[in-house]
Amino acid sequence: MKVDHLINGKSVASRSYFQSINPATQEVLAEVASGGAAEVNAAVAAAKAAFPAWAGKPAAERAALLRRLGDLIARHVVALARTETEDTGQPIAQTGKQLVPRSADNFYYFAEMCVRVDGHTYPTPTHLNYTLFHPVGVCALISPWNVPFMTATWKVAPALAFGNTAVLKMSELSPLTAARLGELALEAGVPAGVLNVVHGYGQDAGEPLCQHPDVRAISFTGSTVTGNRIVRGAGLKKFSMELGGKSPFVVFEDAALPRALDAALFMIFSNNGERCTAGSRILIQRSIYSDFVARFTDRTRRIRVGDPLDEGTLVGPMVSANHLAKVRSYIEIGPKEGATLLCGGIERPAYAAELPPAVRAGNYVWPTVFADVDNRMRIAQEEIFGPVACLIPFDDEADAIAQANDIQYGLSSYVWSENLGRAHRVAAAIEAGMCFVNSQNVRDLRQPFGGTKASGTGREGGTWSYEVFLEPKNVCVSLGSHHIPHWGA
């Protein structure tokens, strides 16, 4: 398969192409156009030209097109999920039942949001102030490789709903479903140039896109290192930067342990552990530490790793050979730092010998558990972005908060306690953009999504998406009854 750019509604070839590789089998899935400044300039020009008509279209008409796009996604869930699984290694049970269906919901939700944009009034005895919201203009949308389709729709849906035009740039590691999103948008009736898709490497395509003078806003999801580079080089623009995470998952002694175990396992091992909101630092009160560690490790050993197209697979391969090497390097670091490796690493479960040869050749790492982790170890401080859990003991509430906050990141957090007073106190004290109490990460589309510290800046979701995709304007109207100073003759 050959995948080209989508610019101004047309397929555009490149001088060079890169390969998209199936991480489970190492098979070449597609030859993908590798763009640069020329393609970026053309895409931004198309978006800029399409902006006045799209922004001027009544919100109800934009909403109708977005609903149609949501319907097309819902109709193609099976095919999109398979493509996503083959391109990323994410298990089909997760792409087909969770990630792709949620993508349709993004368009349905923002179709409703865009017809309800309103401002505020501030009357005084002499003036009436009111606010208006205008679309920003051309938006650069940069989506990551781990859940590419859903994350792309998180960005495309509000950007287009509020009247902006966009250039979408996906990671070179998983570009295939984003290419399909551009095609489905055209099929839904979204005018040419409103959504453009450019493929390529970050330095070649991503940087020229972010630095383009006609790009007014950037919504980026990815690493903290890349996010910092974008902010330094892009100049004065609106930013939404959802960056790295190393989220604490705090379990107190009075937690409902079976549910806490289910959530802890889900939050570190789902999506192959390749998720920014993963609860990768599991902080457990010392009085229940040994019991929790034993149960958690036993459950981890029974997690089935294998062919991501098999409905029974819970953990698939890492997205690339380079990322596999990174995850394995941290597994090697752990014992050297003094952590106890309880399972995973180079250990193979008994069923591994039954896996077909094509799957055994993939980028697999087995779900790994480290106990007796000190929060200052590298495996606890640095984002591994793989199925590696760090189990850390704590003494009391103050110790839990101190260790939870002793990190550069601040994206998500999780608190488990039946004492709701303590749960509220700890949720308020943890330095993170989100906290889930007695729950896994269940994202309501109305909530603000984003982080603090090195996990980024800005929020998206619900009306919080106004921050990046709309410009507020104050209008001040005199009621004719106030004194204006008289200057001059």
Side-chain angles (χ1 to χ4, degrees), residues 314-465:
L314 294 179
V315 173
M318 301 293 94
V319 72
S320 69
N322 285 340
H323 188 59
L324 173 65
K326 173 193 171 184
V327 174
R328 284 179 171 171
S329 73
Y330 279 103
I331 294 173
E332 293 173 357
I333 288 170
K336 296 175 183 177
E337 292 187 306
T340 303
L341 177 62
L342 296 181
C343 71
I346 61 172
E347 176 189 346
R348 298 288 195 268
Y351 65 79
E354 303 169 7
L355 297 174
V359 173
R360 291 204 301 269
N363 304 324
Y364 288 95
V365 61
W366 307 95
T368 298
V369 177
F370 282 110
D372 309 319
V373 176
D374 184 283
N375 193 56
R376 297 309 303 168
M377 293 177 179
R378 285 185 61 193
I379 59 171
Q381 287 289 310
E382 299 176 16
E383 187 177 33
I384 300 173
F385 219 66
V388 181
C390 295
L391 307 185
I392 304 170
F394 70 86
D395 294 319
D396 53 22
E397 183 176 321
D399 187 29
I401 293 169
Q403 292 200 63
N405 290 339
D406 186 18
I407 193 83
Q408 67 168 323
Y409 297 108
L411 183 56
S412 191
S413 59
Y414 309 86
V415 175
W416 283 80
S417 173
E418 292 299 288
N419 181 331
L420 287 183
R422 174 163 58 194
H424 283 295
R425 288 194 302 273
V426 176
I430 291 178
E431 298 167 350
M434 297 170 284
C435 185
F436 298 86
V437 176
N438 296 334
S439 175
Q440 75 277 30
N441 182 341
V442 181
R443 185 187 178 217
D444 188 291
L445 293 175
R446 296 167 294 184
Q447 78 182 59
F449 188 92
T452 63
K453 301 195 289 189
S455 289
T457 183
R459 298 293 185 271
E460 295 183 36
T463 57
W464 303 93
S465 295

Side-chain angles (χ1 to χ4, degrees), residues 29 31 37 43 47-48 132 184 187 191 219 283 297 350-351 405 464:
L29 296 170
E31 300 284 338
K48 184 178 181 181
L132 300 173
L184 291 175
E187 187 177 338
S219 174
L283 280 63
T297 305
Y351 65 79
N405 290 339
W464 303 93

